[in-house]
mmCIF file of all heavy atoms in Angstrom:
data_model
loop_
_atom_site.group_PDB
_atom_site.id
_atom_site.type_symbol
_atom_site.label_atom_id
_atom_site.label_comp_id
_atom_site.label_asym_id
_atom_site.label_seq_id
_atom_site.Cartn_x
_atom_site.Cartn_y
_atom_site.Cartn_z
ATOM 1 N N THR A 1 0.852 -1.173 0.000
ATOM 2 C CA THR A 1 0.000 0.000 0.000
ATOM 3 C C THR A 1 0.898 1.237 0.000
ATOM 4 O O THR A 1 2.109 1.147 0.245
ATOM 5 C CB THR A 1 -0.901 0.022 1.240
ATOM 6 O OG1 THR A 1 -0.074 0.051 2.414
ATOM 7 C CG2 THR A 1 -1.814 -1.188 1.275
ATOM 8 N N ALA A 2 0.316 2.393 -0.263
ATOM 9 C CA ALA A 2 1.101 3.620 -0.340
ATOM 10 C C ALA A 2 1.874 3.879 0.948
ATOM 11 O O ALA A 2 3.038 4.308 0.920
ATOM 12 C CB ALA A 2 0.193 4.801 -0.658
ATOM 13 N N ALA A 3 1.248 3.599 2.094
ATOM 14 C CA ALA A 3 1.895 3.862 3.376
ATOM 15 C C ALA A 3 3.088 2.948 3.629
ATOM 16 O O ALA A 3 3.961 3.276 4.447
ATOM 17 C CB ALA A 3 0.885 3.711 4.507
ATOM 18 N N GLU A 4 3.139 1.818 2.934
ATOM 19 C CA GLU A 4 4.229 0.853 3.159
ATOM 20 C C GLU A 4 5.426 1.079 2.249
ATOM 21 O O GLU A 4 6.508 0.541 2.502
ATOM 22 C CB GLU A 4 3.694 -0.575 2.948
ATOM 23 C CG GLU A 4 2.652 -0.998 3.968
ATOM 24 C CD GLU A 4 1.945 -2.289 3.582
ATOM 25 O OE1 GLU A 4 2.035 -2.694 2.398
ATOM 26 O OE2 GLU A 4 1.284 -2.885 4.457
ATOM 27 N N VAL A 5 5.255 1.847 1.182
ATOM 28 C CA VAL A 5 6.304 1.977 0.180
ATOM 29 C C VAL A 5 7.604 2.503 0.788
ATOM 30 O O VAL A 5 8.682 1.899 0.629
ATOM 31 C CB VAL A 5 5.842 2.882 -0.983
ATOM 32 C CG1 VAL A 5 7.031 3.258 -1.877
ATOM 33 C CG2 VAL A 5 4.775 2.171 -1.812
ATOM 34 N N ASP A 6 7.552 3.631 1.460
ATOM 35 C CA ASP A 6 8.778 4.233 1.981
ATOM 36 C C ASP A 6 9.444 3.373 3.054
ATOM 37 O O ASP A 6 10.665 3.156 2.992
ATOM 38 C CB ASP A 6 8.493 5.636 2.510
ATOM 39 C CG ASP A 6 9.765 6.361 2.918
ATOM 40 O OD1 ASP A 6 10.573 6.678 2.025
ATOM 41 O OD2 ASP A 6 9.962 6.589 4.127
ATOM 42 N N PRO A 7 8.718 2.838 4.044
ATOM 43 C CA PRO A 7 9.373 1.987 5.039
ATOM 44 C C PRO A 7 10.059 0.761 4.439
ATOM 45 O O PRO A 7 11.165 0.391 4.857
ATOM 46 C CB PRO A 7 8.233 1.582 5.977
ATOM 47 C CG PRO A 7 7.224 2.656 5.830
ATOM 48 C CD PRO A 7 7.303 3.088 4.401
ATOM 49 N N VAL A 8 9.417 0.109 3.460
ATOM 50 C CA VAL A 8 10.004 -1.078 2.852
ATOM 51 C C VAL A 8 11.229 -0.703 2.022
ATOM 52 O O VAL A 8 12.272 -1.374 2.081
ATOM 53 C CB VAL A 8 8.963 -1.822 1.998
ATOM 54 C CG1 VAL A 8 9.619 -2.903 1.140
ATOM 55 C CG2 VAL A 8 7.901 -2.431 2.901
ATOM 56 N N LEU A 9 11.132 0.359 1.247
ATOM 57 C CA LEU A 9 12.270 0.804 0.447
ATOM 58 C C LEU A 9 13.475 1.084 1.342
ATOM 59 O O LEU A 9 14.608 0.656 1.042
ATOM 60 C CB LEU A 9 11.871 2.041 -0.351
ATOM 61 C CG LEU A 9 12.839 2.533 -1.426
ATOM 62 C CD1 LEU A 9 12.078 3.248 -2.530
ATOM 63 C CD2 LEU A 9 13.898 3.457 -0.855
ATOM 64 N N ARG A 10 13.256 1.786 2.435
ATOM 65 C CA ARG A 10 14.358 2.122 3.341
ATOM 66 C C ARG A 10 14.953 0.870 3.981
ATOM 67 O O ARG A 10 16.177 0.757 4.143
ATOM 68 C CB ARG A 10 13.869 3.095 4.414
ATOM 69 C CG ARG A 10 13.548 4.485 3.869
ATOM 70 C CD ARG A 10 12.970 5.400 4.949
ATOM 71 N NE ARG A 10 12.630 6.696 4.391
ATOM 72 C CZ ARG A 10 13.498 7.702 4.272
ATOM 73 N NH1 ARG A 10 14.755 7.552 4.685
ATOM 74 N NH2 ARG A 10 13.107 8.857 3.749
ATOM 75 N N GLU A 11 14.109 -0.095 4.327
ATOM 76 C CA GLU A 11 14.600 -1.321 4.948
ATOM 77 C C GLU A 11 15.450 -2.130 3.965
ATOM 78 O O GLU A 11 16.499 -2.678 4.334
ATOM 79 C CB GLU A 11 13.423 -2.154 5.447
ATOM 80 C CG GLU A 11 13.771 -3.148 6.526
ATOM 81 C CD GLU A 11 14.192 -2.495 7.842
ATOM 82 O OE1 GLU A 11 13.397 -1.751 8.418
ATOM 83 O OE2 GLU A 11 15.342 -2.764 8.273
ATOM 84 N N LEU A 12 15.002 -2.209 2.718
ATOM 85 C CA LEU A 12 15.786 -2.936 1.711
ATOM 86 C C LEU A 12 17.149 -2.286 1.504
ATOM 87 O O LEU A 12 18.179 -2.961 1.469
ATOM 88 C CB LEU A 12 15.005 -2.997 0.392
ATOM 89 C CG LEU A 12 13.757 -3.888 0.384
ATOM 90 C CD1 LEU A 12 13.010 -3.731 -0.936
ATOM 91 C CD2 LEU A 12 14.120 -5.353 0.617
ATOM 92 N N ARG A 13 17.178 -0.983 1.368
ATOM 93 C CA ARG A 13 18.451 -0.298 1.135
ATOM 94 C C ARG A 13 19.373 -0.383 2.357
ATOM 95 O O ARG A 13 20.584 -0.521 2.224
ATOM 96 C CB ARG A 13 18.204 1.164 0.758
ATOM 97 C CG ARG A 13 17.501 1.350 -0.584
ATOM 98 C CD ARG A 13 18.259 0.656 -1.746
ATOM 99 N NE ARG A 13 19.617 1.172 -1.882
ATOM 100 C CZ ARG A 13 20.710 0.410 -1.958
ATOM 101 N NH1 ARG A 13 20.636 -0.906 -1.914
ATOM 102 N NH2 ARG A 13 21.883 0.968 -2.085
ATOM 103 N N THR A 14 18.800 -0.331 3.557
ATOM 104 C CA THR A 14 19.604 -0.485 4.772
ATOM 105 C C THR A 14 20.306 -1.835 4.787
ATOM 106 O O THR A 14 21.429 -1.960 5.304
ATOM 107 C CB THR A 14 18.705 -0.342 6.022
ATOM 108 O OG1 THR A 14 18.173 0.977 6.060
ATOM 109 C CG2 THR A 14 19.477 -0.619 7.300
ATOM 110 N N ASN A 15 19.671 -2.838 4.206
ATOM 111 C CA ASN A 15 20.228 -4.191 4.159
ATOM 112 C C ASN A 15 20.940 -4.491 2.839
ATOM 113 O O ASN A 15 21.150 -5.661 2.493
ATOM 114 C CB ASN A 15 19.121 -5.209 4.415
ATOM 115 C CG ASN A 15 18.692 -5.234 5.870
ATOM 116 O OD1 ASN A 15 19.320 -5.878 6.692
ATOM 117 N ND2 ASN A 15 17.620 -4.511 6.196
ATOM 118 N N ALA A 16 21.309 -3.438 2.094
ATOM 119 C CA ALA A 16 22.104 -3.553 0.866
ATOM 120 C C ALA A 16 21.432 -4.397 -0.202
ATOM 121 O O ALA A 16 22.091 -5.050 -1.016
ATOM 122 C CB ALA A 16 23.503 -4.115 1.185
ATOM 123 N N ILE A 17 20.093 -4.379 -0.204
ATOM 124 C CA ILE A 17 19.322 -5.031 -1.273
ATOM 125 C C ILE A 17 18.884 -3.942 -2.243
ATOM 126 O O ILE A 17 18.325 -2.923 -1.827
ATOM 127 C CB ILE A 17 18.112 -5.778 -0.697
ATOM 128 C CG1 ILE A 17 18.592 -6.933 0.203
ATOM 129 C CG2 ILE A 17 17.218 -6.313 -1.817
ATOM 130 C CD1 ILE A 17 17.475 -7.601 0.977
ATOM 131 N N GLU A 18 19.170 -4.139 -3.526
ATOM 132 C CA GLU A 18 18.833 -3.130 -4.530
ATOM 133 C C GLU A 18 17.331 -3.067 -4.763
ATOM 134 O O GLU A 18 16.658 -4.105 -4.847
ATOM 135 C CB GLU A 18 19.507 -3.449 -5.865
ATOM 136 C CG GLU A 18 21.006 -3.326 -5.876
ATOM 137 C CD GLU A 18 21.569 -3.529 -7.271
ATOM 138 O OE1 GLU A 18 20.840 -3.312 -8.260
ATOM 139 O OE2 GLU A 18 22.741 -3.929 -7.369
ATOM 140 N N VAL A 19 16.812 -1.863 -4.879
ATOM 141 C CA VAL A 19 15.447 -1.654 -5.362
ATOM 142 C C VAL A 19 15.547 -1.351 -6.850
ATOM 143 O O VAL A 19 16.216 -0.394 -7.256
ATOM 144 C CB VAL A 19 14.761 -0.507 -4.605
ATOM 145 C CG1 VAL A 19 13.391 -0.206 -5.214
ATOM 146 C CG2 VAL A 19 14.630 -0.845 -3.125
ATOM 147 N N THR A 20 14.936 -2.168 -7.677
ATOM 148 C CA THR A 20 15.133 -2.078 -9.129
ATOM 149 C C THR A 20 13.951 -1.472 -9.869
ATOM 150 O O THR A 20 14.097 -1.051 -11.015
ATOM 151 C CB THR A 20 15.421 -3.473 -9.707
ATOM 152 O OG1 THR A 20 14.313 -4.344 -9.431
ATOM 153 C CG2 THR A 20 16.682 -4.066 -9.083
ATOM 154 N N ALA A 21 12.776 -1.426 -9.234
ATOM 155 C CA ALA A 21 11.601 -0.836 -9.896
ATOM 156 C C ALA A 21 10.506 -0.618 -8.866
ATOM 157 O O ALA A 21 10.408 -1.345 -7.871
ATOM 158 C CB ALA A 21 11.097 -1.733 -11.022
ATOM 159 N N LEU A 22 9.685 0.383 -9.123
ATOM 160 C CA LEU A 22 8.516 0.679 -8.290
ATOM 161 C C LEU A 22 7.411 1.172 -9.206
ATOM 162 O O LEU A 22 7.588 2.178 -9.903
ATOM 163 C CB LEU A 22 8.850 1.749 -7.239
ATOM 164 C CG LEU A 22 7.679 2.272 -6.400
ATOM 165 C CD1 LEU A 22 7.071 1.163 -5.547
ATOM 166 C CD2 LEU A 22 8.130 3.443 -5.526
ATOM 167 N N HIS A 23 6.269 0.478 -9.221
ATOM 168 C CA HIS A 23 5.236 0.809 -10.195
ATOM 169 C C HIS A 23 3.926 0.096 -9.863
ATOM 170 O O HIS A 23 3.834 -0.648 -8.902
ATOM 171 C CB HIS A 23 5.692 0.408 -11.610
ATOM 172 C CG HIS A 23 6.328 -0.950 -11.654
ATOM 173 N ND1 HIS A 23 7.569 -1.174 -12.210
ATOM 174 C CD2 HIS A 23 5.922 -2.145 -11.183
ATOM 175 C CE1 HIS A 23 7.880 -2.448 -12.096
ATOM 176 N NE2 HIS A 23 6.903 -3.055 -11.484
ATOM 177 N N ASN A 24 2.919 0.342 -10.688
ATOM 178 C CA ASN A 24 1.639 -0.359 -10.569
ATOM 179 C C ASN A 24 1.629 -1.588 -11.481
ATOM 180 O O ASN A 24 2.417 -1.689 -12.424
ATOM 181 C CB ASN A 24 0.491 0.560 -10.983
ATOM 182 C CG ASN A 24 0.564 0.902 -12.459
ATOM 183 O OD1 ASN A 24 1.409 1.703 -12.864
ATOM 184 N ND2 ASN A 24 -0.297 0.313 -13.270
ATOM 185 N N HIS A 25 0.747 -2.519 -11.207
ATOM 186 C CA HIS A 25 0.465 -3.638 -12.113
ATOM 187 C C HIS A 25 -0.990 -3.617 -12.573
ATOM 188 O O HIS A 25 -1.340 -4.295 -13.531
ATOM 189 C CB HIS A 25 0.750 -4.985 -11.435
ATOM 190 C CG HIS A 25 2.201 -5.302 -11.279
ATOM 191 N ND1 HIS A 25 2.646 -6.484 -10.720
ATOM 192 C CD2 HIS A 25 3.321 -4.602 -11.614
ATOM 193 C CE1 HIS A 25 3.970 -6.492 -10.701
ATOM 194 N NE2 HIS A 25 4.397 -5.370 -11.234
ATOM 195 N N MET A 26 -1.843 -2.886 -11.843
ATOM 196 C CA MET A 26 -3.269 -2.815 -12.155
ATOM 197 C C MET A 26 -3.694 -1.356 -12.272
ATOM 198 O O MET A 26 -2.964 -0.457 -11.861
ATOM 199 C CB MET A 26 -4.080 -3.537 -11.066
ATOM 200 C CG MET A 26 -3.825 -5.036 -11.010
ATOM 201 S SD MET A 26 -4.637 -5.832 -9.581
ATOM 202 C CE MET A 26 -3.488 -5.394 -8.266
ATOM 203 N N LEU A 27 -4.880 -1.130 -12.808
ATOM 204 C CA LEU A 27 -5.372 0.226 -13.022
ATOM 205 C C LEU A 27 -6.499 0.616 -12.078
ATOM 206 O O LEU A 27 -6.660 1.787 -11.745
ATOM 207 C CB LEU A 27 -5.858 0.386 -14.466
ATOM 208 C CG LEU A 27 -4.806 0.161 -15.560
ATOM 209 C CD1 LEU A 27 -5.446 0.323 -16.936
ATOM 210 C CD2 LEU A 27 -3.620 1.102 -15.394
ATOM 211 N N ARG A 28 -7.320 -0.344 -11.639
ATOM 212 C CA ARG A 28 -8.513 -0.022 -10.836
ATOM 213 C C ARG A 28 -8.535 -0.864 -9.565
ATOM 214 O O ARG A 28 -9.568 -1.364 -9.150
ATOM 215 C CB ARG A 28 -9.772 -0.254 -11.671
ATOM 216 C CG ARG A 28 -9.878 0.639 -12.903
ATOM 217 C CD ARG A 28 -11.116 0.319 -13.718
ATOM 218 N NE ARG A 28 -11.038 -1.030 -14.284
ATOM 219 C CZ ARG A 28 -12.069 -1.695 -14.792
ATOM 220 N NH1 ARG A 28 -13.277 -1.119 -14.792
ATOM 221 N NH2 ARG A 28 -11.913 -2.900 -15.290
ATOM 222 N N ASP A 29 -7.372 -1.016 -8.946
ATOM 223 C CA ASP A 29 -7.248 -1.873 -7.775
ATOM 224 C C ASP A 29 -7.643 -1.145 -6.497
ATOM 225 O O ASP A 29 -7.453 0.051 -6.354
ATOM 226 C CB ASP A 29 -5.826 -2.427 -7.655
ATOM 227 C CG ASP A 29 -4.754 -1.362 -7.880
ATOM 228 O OD1 ASP A 29 -5.014 -0.423 -8.642
ATOM 229 O OD2 ASP A 29 -3.666 -1.469 -7.284
ATOM 230 N N GLN A 30 -8.201 -1.910 -5.573
ATOM 231 C CA GLN A 30 -8.529 -1.444 -4.227
ATOM 232 C C GLN A 30 -8.120 -2.534 -3.243
ATOM 233 O O GLN A 30 -8.529 -3.675 -3.392
ATOM 234 C CB GLN A 30 -10.026 -1.134 -4.111
ATOM 235 C CG GLN A 30 -10.477 0.078 -4.877
ATOM 236 C CD GLN A 30 -9.894 1.369 -4.318
ATOM 237 O OE1 GLN A 30 -9.616 1.464 -3.110
ATOM 238 N NE2 GLN A 30 -9.698 2.359 -5.176
ATOM 239 N N PRO A 31 -7.319 -2.220 -2.221
ATOM 240 C CA PRO A 31 -6.645 -0.931 -2.050
ATOM 241 C C PRO A 31 -5.637 -0.704 -3.175
ATOM 242 O O PRO A 31 -5.226 -1.650 -3.846
ATOM 243 C CB PRO A 31 -5.945 -1.095 -0.696
ATOM 244 C CG PRO A 31 -5.683 -2.564 -0.598
ATOM 245 C CD PRO A 31 -6.878 -3.221 -1.221
ATOM 246 N N ARG A 32 -5.244 0.551 -3.380
ATOM 247 C CA ARG A 32 -4.245 0.868 -4.389
ATOM 248 C C ARG A 32 -2.937 0.202 -4.009
ATOM 249 O O ARG A 32 -2.436 0.376 -2.893
ATOM 250 C CB ARG A 32 -4.056 2.378 -4.474
ATOM 251 C CG ARG A 32 -3.152 2.829 -5.595
ATOM 252 C CD ARG A 32 -3.751 2.522 -6.930
ATOM 253 N NE ARG A 32 -3.056 3.185 -8.014
ATOM 254 C CZ ARG A 32 -2.892 2.667 -9.221
ATOM 255 N NH1 ARG A 32 -3.379 1.471 -9.488
ATOM 256 N NH2 ARG A 32 -2.282 3.340 -10.163
ATOM 257 N N LEU A 33 -2.377 -0.584 -4.927
ATOM 258 C CA LEU A 33 -1.188 -1.373 -4.631
ATOM 259 C C LEU A 33 -0.013 -0.945 -5.508
ATOM 260 O O LEU A 33 -0.187 -0.631 -6.691
ATOM 261 C CB LEU A 33 -1.468 -2.865 -4.838
ATOM 262 C CG LEU A 33 -2.534 -3.473 -3.914
ATOM 263 C CD1 LEU A 33 -2.814 -4.908 -4.313
ATOM 264 C CD2 LEU A 33 -2.110 -3.393 -2.455
ATOM 265 N N PHE A 34 1.164 -0.965 -4.908
ATOM 266 C CA PHE A 34 2.407 -0.659 -5.605
ATOM 267 C C PHE A 34 3.314 -1.878 -5.521
ATOM 268 O O PHE A 34 3.324 -2.593 -4.515
ATOM 269 C CB PHE A 34 3.088 0.567 -4.984
ATOM 270 C CG PHE A 34 2.251 1.810 -5.068
ATOM 271 C CD1 PHE A 34 1.288 2.079 -4.106
ATOM 272 C CD2 PHE A 34 2.403 2.700 -6.124
ATOM 273 C CE1 PHE A 34 0.496 3.217 -4.187
ATOM 274 C CE2 PHE A 34 1.613 3.833 -6.216
ATOM 275 C CZ PHE A 34 0.667 4.092 -5.245
ATOM 276 N N PHE A 35 4.091 -2.108 -6.581
ATOM 277 C CA PHE A 35 4.919 -3.295 -6.678
ATOM 278 C C PHE A 35 6.385 -2.859 -6.709
ATOM 279 O O PHE A 35 6.804 -2.133 -7.609
ATOM 280 C CB PHE A 35 4.550 -4.094 -7.931
ATOM 281 C CG PHE A 35 3.149 -4.663 -7.859
ATOM 282 C CD1 PHE A 35 2.039 -3.839 -8.021
ATOM 283 C CD2 PHE A 35 2.945 -6.008 -7.600
ATOM 284 C CE1 PHE A 35 0.749 -4.348 -7.929
ATOM 285 C CE2 PHE A 35 1.653 -6.527 -7.519
ATOM 286 C CZ PHE A 35 0.555 -5.695 -7.682
ATOM 287 N N MET A 36 7.129 -3.306 -5.700
ATOM 288 C CA MET A 36 8.529 -2.928 -5.562
ATOM 289 C C MET A 36 9.411 -4.145 -5.845
ATOM 290 O O MET A 36 9.406 -5.117 -5.090
ATOM 291 C CB MET A 36 8.807 -2.386 -4.156
ATOM 292 C CG MET A 36 10.221 -1.854 -3.968
ATOM 293 S SD MET A 36 10.499 -1.247 -2.283
ATOM 294 C CE MET A 36 9.374 0.160 -2.233
ATOM 295 N N HIS A 37 10.163 -4.064 -6.935
ATOM 296 C CA HIS A 37 11.046 -5.160 -7.331
ATOM 297 C C HIS A 37 12.440 -4.952 -6.752
ATOM 298 O O HIS A 37 12.859 -3.809 -6.520
ATOM 299 C CB HIS A 37 11.089 -5.266 -8.851
ATOM 300 C CG HIS A 37 9.755 -5.624 -9.441
ATOM 301 N ND1 HIS A 37 9.383 -6.909 -9.710
ATOM 302 C CD2 HIS A 37 8.698 -4.844 -9.769
ATOM 303 C CE1 HIS A 37 8.152 -6.922 -10.201
ATOM 304 N NE2 HIS A 37 7.712 -5.678 -10.234
ATOM 305 N N PHE A 38 13.147 -6.035 -6.535
ATOM 306 C CA PHE A 38 14.430 -5.968 -5.847
ATOM 307 C C PHE A 38 15.407 -6.994 -6.427
ATOM 308 O O PHE A 38 15.019 -7.913 -7.153
ATOM 309 C CB PHE A 38 14.234 -6.217 -4.341
ATOM 310 C CG PHE A 38 13.594 -7.557 -4.035
ATOM 311 C CD1 PHE A 38 14.360 -8.697 -3.872
ATOM 312 C CD2 PHE A 38 12.211 -7.667 -3.925
ATOM 313 C CE1 PHE A 38 13.782 -9.925 -3.602
ATOM 314 C CE2 PHE A 38 11.613 -8.891 -3.658
ATOM 315 C CZ PHE A 38 12.403 -10.027 -3.497
ATOM 316 N N TRP A 39 16.679 -6.811 -6.077
ATOM 317 C CA TRP A 39 17.738 -7.725 -6.520
ATOM 318 C C TRP A 39 18.839 -7.741 -5.475
ATOM 319 O O TRP A 39 19.159 -6.702 -4.866
ATOM 320 C CB TRP A 39 18.316 -7.294 -7.868
ATOM 321 C CG TRP A 39 19.569 -8.029 -8.254
ATOM 322 C CD1 TRP A 39 20.870 -7.616 -8.095
ATOM 323 C CD2 TRP A 39 19.651 -9.327 -8.854
ATOM 324 N NE1 TRP A 39 21.741 -8.563 -8.558
ATOM 325 C CE2 TRP A 39 21.023 -9.632 -9.028
ATOM 326 C CE3 TRP A 39 18.705 -10.258 -9.257
ATOM 327 C CZ2 TRP A 39 21.462 -10.831 -9.595
ATOM 328 C CZ3 TRP A 39 19.140 -11.447 -9.821
ATOM 329 C CH2 TRP A 39 20.503 -11.721 -9.986
ATOM 330 N N GLY A 40 19.413 -8.903 -5.261
ATOM 331 C CA GLY A 40 20.583 -9.037 -4.411
ATOM 332 C C GLY A 40 21.324 -10.309 -4.762
ATOM 333 O O GLY A 40 20.745 -11.253 -5.314
ATOM 334 N N HIS A 41 22.625 -10.341 -4.466
ATOM 335 C CA HIS A 41 23.431 -11.547 -4.675
ATOM 336 C C HIS A 41 24.467 -11.601 -3.559
ATOM 337 O O HIS A 41 25.435 -10.839 -3.564
ATOM 338 C CB HIS A 41 24.106 -11.530 -6.045
ATOM 339 C CG HIS A 41 24.846 -12.789 -6.358
ATOM 340 N ND1 HIS A 41 25.896 -12.844 -7.247
ATOM 341 C CD2 HIS A 41 24.691 -14.062 -5.881
ATOM 342 C CE1 HIS A 41 26.351 -14.078 -7.317
ATOM 343 N NE2 HIS A 41 25.634 -14.839 -6.494
ATOM 344 N N ASP A 42 24.222 -12.480 -2.578
ATOM 345 C CA ASP A 42 25.054 -12.496 -1.383
ATOM 346 C C ASP A 42 24.760 -13.786 -0.621
ATOM 347 O O ASP A 42 24.069 -14.674 -1.134
ATOM 348 C CB ASP A 42 24.745 -11.256 -0.532
ATOM 349 C CG ASP A 42 25.905 -10.834 0.372
ATOM 350 O OD1 ASP A 42 26.706 -11.719 0.749
ATOM 351 O OD2 ASP A 42 25.986 -9.640 0.705
ATOM 352 N N ASP A 43 25.258 -13.856 0.611
ATOM 353 C CA ASP A 43 24.940 -14.978 1.483
ATOM 354 C C ASP A 43 23.425 -15.075 1.650
ATOM 355 O O ASP A 43 22.748 -14.077 1.957
ATOM 356 C CB ASP A 43 25.612 -14.776 2.843
ATOM 357 C CG ASP A 43 25.237 -15.868 3.830
ATOM 358 O OD1 ASP A 43 25.781 -16.976 3.731
ATOM 359 O OD2 ASP A 43 24.368 -15.599 4.690
ATOM 360 N N ALA A 44 22.871 -16.256 1.436
ATOM 361 C CA ALA A 44 21.414 -16.416 1.405
ATOM 362 C C ALA A 44 20.772 -16.042 2.736
ATOM 363 O O ALA A 44 19.724 -15.383 2.769
ATOM 364 C CB ALA A 44 21.052 -17.848 1.029
ATOM 365 N N ALA A 45 21.379 -16.442 3.854
ATOM 366 C CA ALA A 45 20.797 -16.128 5.154
ATOM 367 C C ALA A 45 20.830 -14.625 5.414
ATOM 368 O O ALA A 45 19.873 -14.055 5.967
ATOM 369 C CB ALA A 45 21.540 -16.881 6.257
#
């Protein structure tokens, strides 16, 4: 949701996980949803 975007983005970057995209997937969704894609390559744990 919109309120979760900034906290999640900050948490990913704090943990050195790349944020690669942020966008919608639907046009008339309720609640309004945003999709945040990520990438990392490191120790799995």
